[in-house]
Amino acid sequence: MNIENKLLKLSSLEGLVLKLNQDGKQVFAPVKKDNIVNFAPVSAFHEMTQDYIVTARSAKFVVFPRVETILEMQFSKDNITLKDKDLSSIPDAVLLGTRPCDAAGFKVLTSIFEGDYIDNIYVTRLKKTTIISISCNNYDAKCFCTSVNVHPGGTAGSDILLTRIDNDNFLAEIVTEKGKEIVNKFDTLFDIAPDVNKDSLVANVPVEFDLSAILGKIYPRFESDIWVEQSLRCIGCGTCAYVCPTCGCFDIQDVSDGHNGQRKRSWDSCGFDLFTLHSSGHNPRNTQSKRWRQRILHKFVYVPEQDNILGCVGCGRCSRACSVDMNLKEHLINLIGELTK
Amino acid sequence: MSDFQPKIVAFVCTWCTYAGADLAGTSRIKYEPNVKIIRFPCTGRIDYMFLIKAFANGADGVIVSGCHPNDCHYVSGNFHARRRWIVFRELVDFLGMDVNRLCFSWVSAAEGAQWAKIVNSFTEEIRQLGPYKAYMELVKKDKNESVF
Amino acid sequence: MEKPRIGVYVCWCGTNIAKMVDVEAVAEEIKNVPNVVVSRNYKYMCSDPGQDMIINDIKEFKLNRIVVSACSPRIHEITFRKTLKKAELNPYLFQMANIREHDSWVHTDRAEATKKAKALVTAAINRINYHEPLKELSVDINPATLIIGGGISGITAALEIADADKKVYMIEKSNKLGGYTADIDLTYPHLSSVQQMLGPMIERMKKNKNIDLFLETEIKEITGYIGNFETIITPKNDNETKLSFGNIVVSIGLRSWDPSPLENYGYGKFPDVITSVEFEKMLLSGNIAKKDGSIPKNIAIIHCVGSRNKNYHEYCSRTCCTVALKYANQLRSAFPNASIYELFADMRTMSKGCEELYTITSRKKVVFMMFDQENDLPGIRKANINDNCEMIIELNEKRSRKFVEVPADMVILMVAMEGREMVKEVAQITGVSLDGNKLFIEKHPKLDPVATTTSGVYTVGSCQGPKSIPDSVSQARAAVARILGTIARGTAQVAGTTAHININICCGCQMCISVCPYSAISFDAEKNVSVINEILCQGCGTCVALCRPNAIDIWGCSNRQMTAELTALLLSD
Amino acid sequence: MNEQNIYMPYLMRIETVRDEAPFVKTFRLKFINEEILNRFTFKTGQFGEYSAIGEGESTFCIASSPTLKGYIECTFRQTGKVTNALAMKGEDDVIGFRGPYGNFFPIHEWKNKNLLFIAGGIALPPLRSVIWNCLDLRNDYKDVTIIYGAKTVDELIYKHELKTWDERSDVKLVTTVDPGNETPEWKGKIGFVPTVLDEVAPSSENTVAIVCGPPIMIKYTFPVLEKLGFTSENIFTTLENRMKCGFGKCGRCNVGKVFVCKDGPVFTYKQLKELPQEY
Amino acid sequence: MDSIRKRARELLEKNTVKVVIGYGVGSDNTVRAIFVRRPEGVEELIFDETCVQNLAVYLLKNEIKQIGKLCIIANISALRTILQLASEHQIHEEELLCLSVTPNGELLEFTGFKDIENYISSCNRDLPDKESEMIKKLEKMSVDERWQFWMNHLSRCIKCYACRSACPMCYCTRCQVEYNQPQWITVEATLMGNFEWQITRTMHLAGRCVNCGECARACPEDIPINLLNYKTVLTVKEKYNISAGTNANIDSVMSSFESDDKENFIR
Ligand SMILES: Cc1cc2nc3c(=O)[nH]c(=O)nc-3n(C[C@H](O)[C@H](O)[C@H](O)COP(=O)(O)OP(=O)(O)OC[C@H]3O[C@@H](n4cnc5c(N)ncnc54)[C@H](O)[C@@H]3O)c2cc1C
Ligand SMILES: Cc1cc2nc3c(=O)[nH]c(=O)nc-3n(C[C@H](O)[C@H](O)[C@H](O)COP(=O)(O)OP(=O)(O)OC[C@H]3O[C@@H](n4cnc5c(N)ncnc54)[C@H](O)[C@@H]3O)c2cc1C
Ligand code: SF4
Ligand code: SF4
Ligand code: SF4
Ligand code: SF4
Ligand code: SF4
Ligand code: SF4
């Protein structure tokens, strides 16, 4: 679909949020609480904060909740019944205020959850979610989107992308049919777009490293000492994966009280020792350095090779959340240093 | 008195309180039927996890009971248990759990009547407190876990 | 593991359970619990036909788990474990639900009691899914025996064991053997001389090479377990000695109660109000006289002093009534013309020949008067000069309902017998529990009255409950039979319910080592993990609850079993 | 329904339970749904996710031959939550199964070759499936040799089938137990699998070797095979990395770039040599 | 700072230690842990009041232990952690060397655990004011208010267990939350699971927590879980007069007892 441009007034957003909610859609937007900004359900636009670079946690939970019942079961003395997930119970949602990196992150998740085995739960959630992103006009030292081919004004993954023109107005780029549906439904809120140079409106995030110096070059360094070197500080807490918009690893567990039960999928992290531990006690990734390597390779080698998409969108969340200052951008830069040695 | 019938489980040691409850039986002392006993070798064995699991499975109150100090069949199990209870009780109180729903007691093999008394009074106390709704909220929230 | 095939047996216990619990409904509903193959109810599960029913079902339905819902496991767990053994099923694949002591006997609403029974049985069933066959370990038995207390029961046991050519260590706190028996003149019912019996026994004790006698010695601590106990003693005038032994007999007897608190009897106030024990000594010395040396003309014997009295000792001291009759007879022989009064509450003369002694005594011009022990005890006051006696006992005679004043020059109080001063310490050292009366608790009040819950430790004689000499002697012999049996086998089985450590999980913090009261845990420095000695472990489970990573679990009371029981109990409630 | 939710297992009824060795059992499983029963197919070497419903899922290979219709078998050892729960199931009980997943042994490429199967301990199940599959197509293959070892005599699994193979004139079976663990009646060899392999020294001429066993056994077996002249592309094995989903989403089982669940579990030694040591 | 660098350089040059665990400059002018293995590297070492991370968490990390004998630049929390870990037999005197700096800039080198004990006994081990006040405030609340407070916080917990990874006392080979037969703690990050997890974490740290605050600092959801631990620190101090990390040779609070431990709730 060709991208169509509109004008959306800041004042119209109030109405938009209200109407979306009235329409039965759950609206998630960045909300500031105790000085951290995270996506939370909002019923009115003013609950949303404007003061954020990116949220602490990514927005992935809307399509890939931290815990999801994937099927249910019932037990009687001699019988077991399985109940499929009721996909129709998944609500319509709108994500407002995602950044272009966040939106791009959904593409990565999708590449994991689709493929030859299609995870319909994810797919349905995504289908029912409209993503209205806002371009970045600011960035911080942890951001490195432009180094991984994501643009602070990029439309990939968004259904609508808003870019701030001035204090009162947004440029609204209608990227997908889903976005268009919203515009059509609430057309009174949208105006004709002015002619603007979008690039001048978004942040100018410097390119910090040359991606091509990494791509295709890390895998041969599988046994390099650099992994140990970089990860000595890492305490294996897994936080990076939990906040990351593209980490999709999960665990499946059953809970049951003997009468009823659910099979649940929940977030997991390759940073954990237990993630790959065999019941025999053998563990193929038994040190933190191997697990750190897995994280980098997963994003920069395995996902790109399998799905033709880079596994990291440069949002920098992992680095911000890490309590021991494992800075991904810095690590990538010195990785390049090592590779070019 | 409300007609709410609380669910109460009692974790007791086999040597003192279980025997005490047996004595209450042989003495035909009558008491409320709400308390159901689970027998452990010693109070030292009673992991605080069992207490949490009791509430998670819908208990309105929990009794933990064993031998009086210096009377432990295993010499010191009850002393260790007491330390654990003190810390546990303070902690869950701090977390906002209702510690009135926890009853710790010493009941010896000879105190059948004392057992009956504890059961009756604790049952009544819990009946006054009503069902442990706050904790059930936790459980319920899990069951219909939010979609997001 | 195999698929559990559970047999559930709900017992009526005659009407004991069936009256208050709808046992049929329970057995019926239980059929719906997963893995239950057979569910039955029966009048007496512990009876032979009851047990045979289980054995047959095990064979016929290939049952591999048995739940009996009946009385307290403290009574019949062992019985049914043996039943399982007979059916060649591991005895630990068994669980009891207590619907008698904890249900039918204590509740009054049949519907509620039935509901509770269902919950208890369901919990037991759910739990038994996770029972595992356990191995009982066998330990070697040191053939020596330690006996604590050299009264008639201790002496009997010692001689019996020594005669079988096995070593005995006898620890006696006082400076002589014999206990109370050494102070008794004649014994009821036939008034034969006690000392003629006891003297030769003590002589044999002294001569027997198999017996090491330690007088004026006390035990401070015992370590070890059945077959392998140890202690260090410091006998008077002697060096520290280390003793090793395989079994322990506790026979420390009882002591007589000091009746001063019962002020109405004036003990301590009137010089001629004396206790039975004091009188017995008088008899033994052959000189019955008042404190001033004169002969008493009026003698009253008051029963149940401090016994059968809610404020002091609720239990009956058992021998006093007959002893009192014995005194009346001995007094009559000594003073053919004296007035002898027996003031009793109830006349309890059980045992062979004792009721006859009562008949004989009553024909000897002994005046029997009854008082109301519960509400109206006799009182003693000093007599007036013209009363012609020292004291007047006032009482409301219960049968005639008349107020009576009994003249007395000497009053013998038949005092209660109570636990010895050191009984708590002895109980703790030997690992045996005391009941509220400071009497040792037996393993089973009816079926195993000399053994205790600690294997290798037996309690005999009056310390287990007031009793006569023949009863004390029988108990001693019963215990010896058990001990000699174990010694002959050379090994004993210790329960399989011990703790065990998963060395893949243990992080070597060694916290468990500091909590184990039996020093059963040690540290394997090479593997950096703790290890449990299964024989030393008594299965208290303190280490289990302490170990943070749950590296320790305990057979027979595992986290899995207990949680299964707990969840089912609450969910079916 | 199952087509929609990739996590939805099929329900299967346990037809028989067989104790193989201490803590090892074999289930024969039959699909409850007739339609699935009729259309279900798999290839030897593939695996599935078996669930003790309410307790969780576990990964086992399908241990029976695809030539047998109407049921599948799995053999598992009790090691944890799910396998312990499965072990408590009996005949007529229902469990869950989803699969088949993964690649398979290219047995059609092995036509007219000699087959050498080498297995250790509880790793016989995946080989059992191939062995029977090949024996059912016996004429397609030349010599069939099976070398199987376990720690103790008791721990040898499929004892009755070992007997059948032993009795067949068209199969050469060599069994062995670790030194010191033989019983008085033991008639097989005594020694570790790689050593026994060296002794038996089957010819590598026109032969493929299929090896399955604990990592340590594999590590010592490969060099012996190479010494005997086997080329790495003629040596096959299966890997067992931990996995949850079975289809490349949960992120656990990858060995470098390859996913054991999708690209494996069957690998040639040649492939393994190119992979990092992450198994 | 210079004295630290000088001493570290000596130690590395003489090969007395293989690695110095210390503080260095991190991204955006923050402080991070660094691992100095070559004498030249000591120039990166810094030490000032911003160096709050408890570096003792690295003492038990395999990759670091493998390097060889360690030297750690320890703040008070780290020193206390070392004593507590020693009392739990997790580290041994000969395995490490500790350097520290007093508030007035004096370099301290500890030759053994006794040394550390002496120093610690003179240091302030109190809880930080902010947390102390918060605990007091919470204690004054009604039970329901406290419950609400924690439910609001714990509902955010995503069960990442960063609090566990960051805690130097959480060194178990296998954490109880991973114990699954039975499943003690509800696996998923639901309110129940989160609540049970925090009870367990706190109970397991009772009498062992050295109030370093790493747990809360690590929590990506900013849940003040350290308050729970601090509460037990207070309980243990008040009831048993013990503070963790002051003695390398005592039984931990939960594995010992006094026969007259005071309480007022047992019937
Ligand atoms: C006044 C009186 C008259 C009685 N008359 C009769 C009668 O006529 N006929 C009859 O059958 N029964 C009679 N009895 C009962 C009889 O005395 C008891 O049955 C008998 O004494 C019980 O013997 P025993 O060995 O169990 O205990 P005891 O005789 O009490 O002996 C216990 C021994 O243990 C020792 N001991 C105590 N503590 C320790 C310790 N810590 N360490 C080491 N040693 C210790 C004591 O010094 C004592 O020697 C009478 C009792 C009384 C009080
Ligand atoms: C392709 C493949 C084929 C296998 N075939 C067999 C077989 O035929 N027979 C057999 O006995 N075992 C087989 N295994 C190993 C088997 O999956 C594990 O032993 C089993 O899952 C342990 O499960 P648990 O839940 O009882 O143990 P827990 O230790 O409680 O494990 C918990 C979870 O971890 C997972 N897990 C733990 N260890 C492993 C492991 N080594 N591999 C995979 N997942 C693990 C389980 O799926 C489970 O969900 C195979 C594994 C793979 C990957
Ligand atoms: S990089 Fe940081 S956030 Fe990620 S696991 Fe390591 S310590 Fe935790
Ligand atoms: S790896 Fe880090 S920077 Fe990359 S997408 Fe994930 S959180 Fe963002
Ligand atoms: S308490 Fe547990 S972890 Fe610690 S040494 Fe004992 S068994 Fe090991
Ligand atoms: S269960 Fe009790 S006796 Fe056994 S090892 Fe543990 S603490 Fe010691
Ligand atoms: S619980 Fe928190 S404050 Fe206490 S030692 Fe661990 S990380 Fe530090
Ligand atoms: S660090 Fe925070 S979010 Fe993570 S498990 Fe701990 S409390 Fe929960």
Side-chain angles (χ1 to χ4, degrees), chain A residues 279, chain D residues 57-59 61 75-77 80-83 241-242 244:
Chain A
S279 40
Chain D
E57 288 185 313
S58 248
T59 320
C61 69
T75 301
F76 62 94
R77 191 217 301 268
K81 184 181 182 187
V82 180
T83 43
N241 271 13
R242 184 165 173 173
K244 285 285 177 181

Side-chain angles (χ1 to χ4, degrees), chain E residues 232-248:
Chain E
T232 61
V233 168
L234 294 174
T235 308
V236 164
K237 176 79 186 146
E238 181 198 317
K239 307 271 177 189
Y240 316 120
N241 195 23
I242 297 178
S243 34
T246 49
N247 189 327

Side-chain angles (χ1 to χ4, degrees), chain A residues 30-39 49 51-57 320, chain E residues 130 153 156 219-223:
Chain A
V31 171
K32 193 178 217 159
K33 202 175 155 201
D34 300 332
N35 262 325
I36 353 171
V37 180
N38 264 322
F39 285 98
T49 177
D51 174 26
Y52 67 104
I53 291 176
V54 289
T55 51
R57 236 202 267 148
R320 281 182 213 98
Chain E
K130 193 177 134 226
H153 275 299
R156 295 202 307 277
C219 175
E221 295 290 329
D222 279 301
I223 305 174

Side-chain angles (χ1 to χ4, degrees), chain A residues 90-337:
Chain A
I90 293 173
D92 285 324
V94 174
L95 261 167
L96 173 63
T98 40
R99 296 300 188 192
C101 56
D102 297 339
F106 288 115
K107 293 261 179 204
V108 183
L109 282 183
T110 306
S111 79
I112 295 170
F113 286 107
E114 286 188 348
D116 40 5
Y117 286 86
I118 296 170
D119 184 319
N120 273 321
I121 303 173
Y122 172 90
V123 169
T124 311
R125 281 197 186 277
L126 186 65
K127 202 160 50 185
K128 293 193 174 189
T129 303
T130 311
I131 300 167
I132 308 181
S133 306
I134 303 180
S135 308
C136 300
N137 45 20
N138 208 347
Y139 68 98
D140 71 10
K142 304 269 169 45
C143 293
F144 60 96
C145 53
T146 46
S147 312
V148 288
N149 291 343
V150 174
H151 192 265
T155 53
S158 302
D159 296 306
I160 299 176
L161 176 69
L162 305 178
T163 304
R164 199 143 195 156
I165 304 174
D166 51 42
N167 273 345
D168 302 320
N169 298 295
F170 288 99
L171 168 73
E173 292 170 85
I174 320 303
V175 188
T176 63
E177 288 297 343
K178 223 192 301 173
K180 188 149 177 92
E181 233 171 79
I182 299 253
V183 176
N184 290 346
K185 207 163 195 171
F186 311 111
D187 54 355
T188 53
L189 299 172
F190 293 85
D191 290 325
I192 295 165
D195 209 9
V196 288
N197 174 3
K198 196 177 99 183
D199 284 345
S200 68
L201 298 173
V202 300
N204 191 3
V205 184
V207 178
E208 310 255 2
F209 56 83
D210 176 11
L211 190 60
S212 65
I214 300 180
L215 291 184
K217 303 202 171 75
I218 326 179
Y219 198 58
R221 300 299 186 96
F222 199 88
E223 301 298 343
S224 164
D225 281 344
I226 190 155
W227 309 116
V228 182
E229 200 61 35
Q230 292 194 337
S231 65
L232 276 178
R233 207 163 59 242
C234 168
I235 51 174
C237 69
T239 301
C240 42
Y242 282 65
V243 298
C244 173
T246 66
C247 277
C249 294
F250 59 81
D251 187 10
I252 300 176
Q253 296 272 356
D254 285 9
V255 276
S256 137
D257 61 12
H259 302 291
N260 293 296
Q262 301 96 34
R263 182 157 289 170
K264 291 182 173 183
R265 176 176 72 189
S266 48
W267 292 354
D268 209 337
S269 165
C270 63
F272 297 151
D273 170 42
L274 227 71
F275 192 62
T276 48
L277 181 72
H278 291 196
S279 40
S280 64
H282 172 68
N283 191 349
R285 292 200 274 270
N286 57 352
T287 60
Q288 203 55 42
S289 56
K290 292 179 186 167
R291 301 191 277 271
W292 169 251
R293 176 179 65 200
Q294 165 70 16
R295 183 157 203 276
I296 301 286
L297 294 190
H298 194 222
K299 304 231 175 292
F300 292 89
V301 180
Y302 309 153
V303 172
E305 288 195 8
Q306 257 153 28
D307 303 313
N308 214 357
I309 182 169
L310 195 68
C312 169
V313 294
C315 67
R317 281 193 176 86
C318 50
S319 319
R320 281 182 213 98
C322 179
S323 69
V324 298
D325 194 23
M326 294 280 286
N327 187 320
L328 182 59
K329 182 172 84 184
E330 176 192 329
H331 281 309
L332 290 171
I333 292 170
N334 68 37
L335 188 61
I336 291 174

Side-chain angles (χ1 to χ4, degrees), chain C residues 486-505:
Chain C
T486 344
I487 297 176
R489 274 194 303 276
T491 56
Q493 301 303 111
V494 291
T497 46
T498 56
H500 51 98
I501 294 180
N502 179 343
I503 59 166
N504 294 324
I505 295 179

